[in-house]
Amino acid sequence: MLKYFFLVLDIFALTTPASVSGLFALNSSTVQLECPYAASDGRRIVWKYSARSIFKTYSEGNMINPTFAKDLKERLQITGNHTKGEYHLNISDIRESDEGTYECTLSGSIGIHTEQLTVILEPVSVNIDNVLPDDKLSGTEGLNLIITCRAVGGKPPPNVKLTISGTIVATGNQSLQHTFSTISRSYDRKAITCYAGHDVISHYPLIDSAKLYLFLKPLPPIFTQSFVVTEETVPLNVSCTSLGSRPAANFTWLIGKNNFDVTSNSYESSTLNSSTETFTVTSTLIYKFSRTYNGQLLTCKASNIISSNISSSKLLNIKYAPSVGVENKTFQQRGTIRNVQCSIQGNPSEYTYFNCSHNSFYGVTIRKLPIGQNGILTLPEVPMEFGYQDSGIYVCTVGNGILGTNGQEKQTGYGFVKIQSRPVFVKTNVKKITVMIGTNVDVDIYAFSEPKYTFIKWYRNTTPLSQSAKFNMLEKIMIVDDDFHGKGVQLDGYKLTLVINAFRIEDATFYRLLLSNGIGEVVEHIMFLEIGNIPQTPKNITIVSVGETGLTIQWVPVDDEDYQLIYHIEHKLSISSMWVRKEINVRDIEISNTKLLYELVGLQTSTYYDVRIVAENSFNKSLPSAIITAKTLSKANTDNAIQSASIPMVALGTSSTIITIVAWLVVGWIWFKRKTTSKAKGNKTDSTSHRSNIQMYDVVTDPARIQTDQPKEMSDTSMAAYESLGLKDKPNVYSEL
C-alpha cells in the first residue's frame, strides 16, 4: 500500500507555485532545503525532485522514498521540529547528480515552494601565464604588459580575480587578460596574485602568485659638477651618474650640435643597489677642449637594452674670445615691447656691443639696429599691421678686445624671431586679371601666414564657393616675395589657387579669398576677372614726314593698356599685292603728344607706298586700319614737302586722280615686268634674312581678313560669341555684363 502511495505522488504535480528560491552548494558538502509550509491536522509535507521535467517523490512526512537506491537514501534526511510541522530535506555528500529543482508541497493545498539547487565544482588549478621558474613575471618599462590568468575546470565557470599589491585590477570568468599600457616603474617588484573560485559562495580556494620584475631604463644622468668650466689649455675632468637601471647602463659622451663622440676618453664604474635591485653607474670624462667648443653642449647619454635616449647636457664654458648667441623669440602681433636677448660667452667678460643686423630667412639684410650695453635688442615700434615684418634672423656682433680663431675682434651670433600675426597677402598679388572665354583660368593669390591659416574660404562676389566640376581649390607651399621694412624679401608662404573651368561671360566678376589663423580679424583679397577683348582697330593714321627712303607714320594709341600690346606696321608698293609686316612693341615706339610715331626705312625713292597698321594683344589681332598712301621723295626733289600726307584709298575719287593713278599703274606694270626676274631672288633673300621680324603676305578682302584674325582653337559657336564680344568697345561690354 505504501509503494502505491509514492507512485501516485510521482504522477501528481501542482502547477501553481507559491515561492521560488535558489541554492548553491559545493560538491561533497551538505545542504538543507527548507520548506516554508508547516504540516498540521493530517496534512503532510511532500518533497519532490525534478530533472529534465521528470519529477520524483523524495519524501512524505519524515519517510524517504523506499524505492531509492541505498546510496541515495543514506544521503537524504528529513530534519526540523516535526511537532511544529517542520519537514526540511537534508542532502549530504552533495554530488553533481543532485543538481536540479526541488519542490515541497502541503497536501490538500495548492501552494508549491521550489528550491533550485546548483552544485558548484571547484576549479582544478589557476595559473598566471609566462611566469618564470623563480616566480617572476618580466616586463619592460614604457611598453605594454599583458597579464593573463587562467582557471582549469570548475562548474559553473569559476570567477577569476587579479590583484596587484592587494588591489583588484581585473576580474573574469574562467580566465582574464589585463593590459598595462606603457607600464611605469612604479609597478616594479609588485606582488601579482590570481584567485579562482565562485563569487556566489565567496569561496576562492586556488591562488597563483608572482612578482612583477621590470626591465628599467636608466634615469636621466646627473652631472656631478654644477658648471662645466675649464680653460682651453687645461683638460676637463667631469663625471655623470645614472641611477635606477636594470640591466646596468652604458655611457656615451657627445659634444656639440654634430654630436662628436668622445666616449673613448672616459671610464665607468657600476654598483648594484640591493634594496632596489637596480644599478648605479658613474662615468668620468677627461678631455682637452679647444675654444671651438665654447658655448656648445656637453652631453652624457645613458643607455641599456630598454632605452638609448636618456641624456643630460651642460653648456661648456671655455675661456676665449667672445662667442655670441641670440635667443629665439616668438612675439604676438599685438605685442608692444619686444626684446631679444643677445648672450655672450667669453673671457674677459667686458664686451663692446655693435649694431645688430636684421636679416630675412633667405639672407637679405633688411636693416641695422642698435643693441644696448645689457645685450638686449629692443625692436622699434611699428604699426600693428606691419608687425609681421619684424620676423627674421637677428645677427648680433660683440667684441672684447681679444681676437678670435678667425683673426677678428668682432664675433657674431644669431637667433630667430617670429611674429605671430594674421595672414598677409604679399605684394606680388594683383587685383585684376584678364581672361579669355572658354579657357580654364587659374586665379593665383599668394599669402604669408605665421601660424598657418586655419580658415580659408573663396567667394564669387558674396556667394561662397566649394569644390565642384566648375571650381577647384588648390594649395601649394612655396616661396613668395614681399617687402620687409622697404626691402624685398622671400618668405615661406602659400599659393592659393582657384581654378575656374570653362570660363564663361557670367564668370567675369569679383572673386574674394578670406583667410584667418585665429589672430586678429579675417583678411580678404579681392580679384576682379575681366574678359579680354580683341584690340581696337588703329585710327587716325597719318604721314607726318616723307624722305627719299623712309616715311614717318603717326597714329593714336589703341586703348589696350592692360595687355602686352604690339603693332604690326604693314606696307607695300601701291602697285603690288605683297605686304611687308614689321612687328613693333609699344615700348620701342616713340610717343609725341600722346600719339605714336614710327619711321619706315629702306624704301625706294620716288615710289608710292600703301601703309596700314594692325594691333595685337595677348588674345588676338585687330582688323587692319584704313590704308594710307604716300610717295617717297626723289633725289632731284628732296626739298619738296610731303606730296600726299594722307591719301586714304577710299578718298581717291576725282577723275584727274584716277587718271594719274591709272598712268602710274601702267608704268609700274611695265617696270615691274622688267624687274621681276632680276629683283625676285634679291627680294626673297632680303626678306628671308629678316624673317624674325618681317613677313610677306597677300592682301585679303575684309570678310577673309575677319576670319583670319579670330581667336585660335575655339569652336564655331564660341568663336562667333567671342567675335561679337571682341568687336565691342570695353565700356559697352561691361555695361552689358
Side-chain angles (χ1 to χ4, degrees):
M1 189 67 181
L2 182 62
K3 182 177 182 180
Y4 176 76
F5 165 76
F6 278 102
L7 291 175
V8 172
L9 287 179
D10 286 345
I11 298 172
F12 179 77
L14 297 177
T15 60
T16 309
S19 62
V20 179
S21 62
L23 192 61
F24 296 89
L26 278 172
N27 189 41
S28 301
S29 67
T30 298
V31 67
Q32 182 184 65
L33 306 178
E34 295 184 1
C35 184
Y37 307 125
S40 63
D41 300 330
R43 293 184 177 184
R44 295 178 296 279
I45 298 296
V46 179
W47 279 98
K48 295 180 181 180
Y49 167 77
S50 171
R52 301 181 183 89
S53 300
I54 299 175
F55 284 84
K56 293 181 180 181
T57 300
Y58 264 38
S59 67
E60 181 179 348
N62 60 358
M63 185 176 294
I64 302 300
N65 192 334
T67 63
F68 285 172
K70 179 181 178 181
D71 178 65
L72 176 58
K73 286 193 296 182
E74 290 177 349
R75 294 189 300 109
L76 300 178
Q77 184 181 3
I78 302 300
T79 62
N81 190 342
H82 298 336
T83 60
K84 293 182 180 181
E86 295 177 353
Y87 290 85
H88 306 314
L89 178 61
N90 271 32
I91 306 174
S92 61
D93 191 17
I94 289 291
R95 302 172 185 178
E96 192 174 358
S97 59
D98 294 327
E99 188 172 87
T101 302
Y102 292 83
E103 295 181 351
C104 79
T105 60
L106 181 63
S107 62
S109 70
I110 61 174
I112 299 176
H113 174 71
T114 301
E115 290 276 5
Q116 180 66 43
L117 177 62
T118 301
V119 178
I120 296 176
L121 301 180
E122 293 182 339
V124 176
S125 63
V126 61
N127 301 292
I128 301 174
D129 287 0
N130 302 319
V131 175
L132 300 175
D134 56 357
D135 292 331
K136 290 182 179 179
L137 179 63
S138 64
T140 301
E141 179 186 7
L143 300 180
N144 291 348
L145 175 63
I146 300 174
I147 300 178
T148 302
C149 236
R150 306 177 190 275
V152 179
K155 180 185 176 184
N159 303 106
V160 181
K161 295 191 299 184
L162 176 66
T163 67
I164 294 183
S165 296
T167 301
I168 298 175
V169 296
T171 60
N173 287 330
Q174 200 71 52
S175 66
L176 65 83
Q177 188 177 80
H178 180 69
T179 300
F180 288 95
S181 299
T182 59
I183 191 167
S184 66
R185 66 169 52 225
S186 63
Y187 287 96
D188 183 46
R189 302 192 306 154
K190 297 292 186 182
I192 301 174
T193 305
C194 189
Y195 298 88
H198 292 86
D199 282 338
V200 292
I201 57 174
S202 301
H203 188 67
Y204 288 85
L206 298 178
I207 300 174
D208 189 18
S209 298
K211 187 176 182 180
L212 188 57
Y213 199 78
L214 298 178
F215 291 100
L216 301 175
K217 59 187 178 181
L219 295 175
I222 301 172
F223 277 88
T224 56
Q225 292 93 332
S226 298
F227 301 96
V228 182
V229 181
T230 187
E231 294 182 11
E232 186 176 15
T233 58
V234 178
L236 174 67
N237 188 316
V238 62
S239 297
C240 215
T241 300
S242 172
L243 305 173
S245 60
R246 186 190 298 138
N250 297 313
F251 269 89
T252 303
W253 289 90
L254 304 171
I255 305 174
K257 297 179 181 179
N258 296 326
N259 290 329
F260 178 58
D261 194 329
V262 293
T263 307
S264 60
N265 298 276
S266 66
Y267 63 90
E268 297 177 1
S269 62
S270 175
T271 58
L272 176 63
N273 188 331
S274 58
S275 63
T276 61
E277 299 182 71
T278 59
F279 290 89
T280 298
V281 182
T282 299
S283 179
T284 301
L285 174 69
I286 301 176
Y287 191 76
K288 183 178 179 181
F289 291 92
S290 67
R291 67 178 62 193
T292 57
Y293 294 113
N294 185 62
Q296 298 190 29
L297 291 177
L298 174 64
T299 300
C300 64
K301 184 165 69 171
S303 60
N304 59 10
I305 60 174
I306 308 307
S307 176
S308 60
N309 196 29
I310 308 298
S311 64
S312 293
S313 300
K314 288 285 186 180
L315 195 67
L316 284 169
N317 184 7
I318 303 171
K319 296 180 180 180
Y320 76 113
S323 63
V324 185
V326 180
E327 66 175 333
N328 299 327
K329 295 287 287 187
T330 299
F331 298 109
Q332 296 297 317
Q333 180 183 20
R334 291 187 173 89
T336 54
I337 300 177
R338 292 174 288 183
N339 292 332
V340 180
Q341 178 68 54
C342 179
S343 59
I344 302 100
Q345 292 291 332
N347 187 21
S349 57
E350 292 76 28
Y351 309 113
T352 300
Y353 296 89
F354 302 93
N355 282 339
C356 186
S357 175
H358 175 199
N359 299 338
S360 74
F361 289 109
Y362 287 93
V364 174
T365 299
I366 299 171
R367 54 184 173 164
K368 297 287 186 178
L369 300 172
I371 186 170
Q373 289 300 311
N374 56 1
I376 295 178
L377 168 65
T378 300
L379 301 182
E381 292 187 9
V382 294
M384 187 175 65
E385 62 269 21
F386 299 123
Y388 76 98
Q389 297 181 7
D390 288 341
S391 294
I393 302 174
Y394 285 77
V395 182
C396 291
T397 304
V398 179
N400 65 349
I402 298 176
L403 294 179
T405 55
N406 58 0
Q408 302 295 322
E409 178 182 346
K410 297 179 180 179
Q411 305 297 318
T412 60
Y414 65 90
F416 299 92
V417 172
K418 288 186 177 181
I419 309 298
Q420 293 187 338
S421 62
R422 64 184 184 179
V424 177
F425 294 105
V426 298
K427 69 170 187 178
T428 53
N429 288 301
V430 298
K431 295 185 177 181
K432 180 176 67 174
I433 59 175
T434 307
V435 299
M436 179 179 284
I437 293 177
T439 60
N440 295 338
V441 179
D442 289 352
V443 181
D444 294 328
I445 297 179
Y446 303 91
F448 169 73
S449 181
E450 174 62 42
K452 183 181 178 181
Y453 50 84
T454 55
F455 169 80
I456 175 172
K457 192 66 180 177
W458 285 92
Y459 288 83
R460 176 179 172 176
N461 287 328
T462 58
T463 303
L465 302 178
S466 58
Q467 294 280 37
S468 64
K470 179 68 176 179
F471 299 103
N472 187 24
M473 292 79 169
L474 305 175
E475 173 193 286
K476 181 181 180 182
I477 299 174
M478 66 176 296
I479 296 175
V480 298
D481 295 323
D482 198 22
D483 282 342
F484 272 22
H485 301 293
K487 286 294 184 73
V489 297
Q490 291 182 317
L491 306 171
D492 292 325
Y494 306 89
K495 180 173 80 170
L496 306 168
T497 302
L498 173 65
V499 180
I500 306 174
N501 295 308
F503 193 86
R504 300 173 63 85
I505 293 178
E506 58 268 23
D507 295 329
T509 185
F510 290 94
Y511 291 82
R512 302 161 55 220
L513 173 61
L514 273 62
L515 293 178
S516 174
N517 59 5
I519 300 176
E521 300 176 351
V522 176
V523 295
E524 177 185 61
H525 184 77
I526 299 177
M527 180 85 76
F528 179 69
L529 270 60
E530 67 175 0
I531 299 173
N533 297 298
I534 298 174
Q536 299 173 354
T537 302
K539 299 178 180 178
N540 298 330
I541 302 172
T542 58
I543 302 295
V544 296
S545 67
V546 179
E548 294 182 14
T549 60
L551 302 172
T552 299
I553 309 163
Q554 177 179 277
W555 70 98
V556 176
V558 171
D559 183 16
D560 210 337
E561 61 183 11
D562 293 335
Y563 311 120
Q564 297 179 350
L565 192 68
I566 62 175
Y567 289 96
H568 299 275
I569 311 298
E570 300 177 349
H571 70 279
K572 68 177 182 68
L573 295 171
S574 295
I575 61 175
S576 173
S577 61
M578 190 71 69
W579 290 91
V580 178
R581 174 182 296 178
K582 179 75 172 180
E583 291 186 2
I584 306 299
N585 195 293
V586 173
R587 61 175 177 269
D588 298 328
I589 302 176
E590 183 182 350
I591 301 176
S592 175
N593 296 326
T594 70
K595 294 185 179 181
L596 302 179
L597 295 174
Y598 185 76
E599 183 180 3
L600 279 173
V601 296
L603 305 181
Q604 299 178 21
T605 61
S606 188
T607 303
Y608 281 98
Y609 284 92
D610 295 340
V611 180
R612 66 183 185 184
I613 301 177
V614 175
E616 181 180 6
N617 60 19
S618 57
F619 295 95
N620 217 320
K621 299 176 183 176
S622 70
L623 296 176
S625 68
I627 298 172
I628 61 173
T629 302
K631 181 182 178 182
T632 57
L633 299 178
S634 64
K635 291 183 180 180
N637 194 22
T638 55
D639 295 331
N640 291 341
I642 298 174
Q643 298 182 14
S644 179
S646 177
I647 311 176
M649 293 296 289
V650 296
L652 301 178
T654 65
S655 58
S656 60
T657 302
I658 294 174
I659 292 172
T660 302
I661 290 176
V662 170
W664 272 105
L665 288 174
V666 172
V667 173
W669 180 81
I670 296 172
W671 175 86
F672 179 79
K673 291 293 288 182
R674 291 181 179 179
K675 298 297 183 178
T676 297
T677 304
S678 61
K679 293 282 187 175
K681 292 183 179 180
N683 289 340
K684 181 176 181 181
T685 302
D686 187 57
S687 63
T688 302
S689 65
H690 297 80
R691 186 170 297 170
S692 61
N693 55 11
I694 300 178
Q695 300 178 11
M696 301 292 292
Y697 59 97
D698 293 333
V699 177
V700 295
T701 60
D702 286 347
R705 181 183 303 145
I706 294 174
Q707 293 178 1
T708 302
D709 292 335
Q710 296 309 310
K712 302 176 180 61
E713 300 179 0
M714 296 180 64
S715 65
D716 294 340
T717 304
S718 299
M719 186 179 296
Y722 184 85
E723 176 184 349
S724 175
L725 179 63
L727 294 178
K728 297 178 181 180
D729 293 332
K730 283 184 178 178
N732 295 333
V733 173
Y734 292 118
S735 65
E736 292 181 9
L737 287 177

